[in-house]
Amino acid sequence: MPVELPLAEVVQPIHRLVTAQFLIATAVARHMIYRNSGVILTMTGSGVPTSGMGGAMAAWAAVDALSGQLARELGPYGIRVLWLQSNGVT
C-alpha cells in the first residue's frame, strides 16, 4: 500500500539522481564554457507509474526539469543540453 512506502525510499532516488546529474553537468560545463561549445546529454525513463518504483518517476521528472534549466543557463555559452526519455523495454 502507498501509505506503507517510507518517505526515505521515495526521496532517495530523487536525491541521488538529481545530485549526480547536477554535479556531472556543472563539472563539465566549466570546461565547455571555456571553449564556448559543448553538449551535455542525459537520459531518463518515462511511462506509466507502476507500484514498486519508489521515487523513480519523480527522479526522472526532476532530471528533465534540471536539464531544461541547465539548457537555459548554459545556452548563452554555446552549450547544448539534451535529454532523452526512454519508455524502457517490455
Side-chain angles (χ1 to χ4, degrees):
M1 293 179 67
V3 292
E4 294 175 8
L5 182 63
L7 177 61
E9 287 185 26
V10 174
V11 175
Q12 181 189 26
I14 299 166
H15 181 263
R16 290 177 74 179
L17 186 58
V18 172
T19 299
Q21 295 292 335
F22 177 80
L23 292 176
I24 293 166
T26 55
V28 300
R30 288 183 191 100
H31 299 282
M32 294 176 181
I33 288 172
Y34 177 76
R35 294 189 325 223
N36 201 40
S37 70
V39 177
I40 296 172
L41 175 65
T42 63
M43 183 174 172
T44 60
S46 64
V48 178
T50 57
S51 63
M53 292 186 68
M57 295 291 291
W60 298 335
V63 170
D64 290 346
L66 175 64
S67 297
Q69 185 64 39
L70 288 170
R72 287 158 184 80
E73 299 288 341
L74 299 173
Y77 299 98
I79 301 168
R80 295 175 292 149
V81 180
L82 309 171
W83 57 102
L84 303 173
Q85 286 185 327
S86 170
N87 281 337
V89 179
T90 55

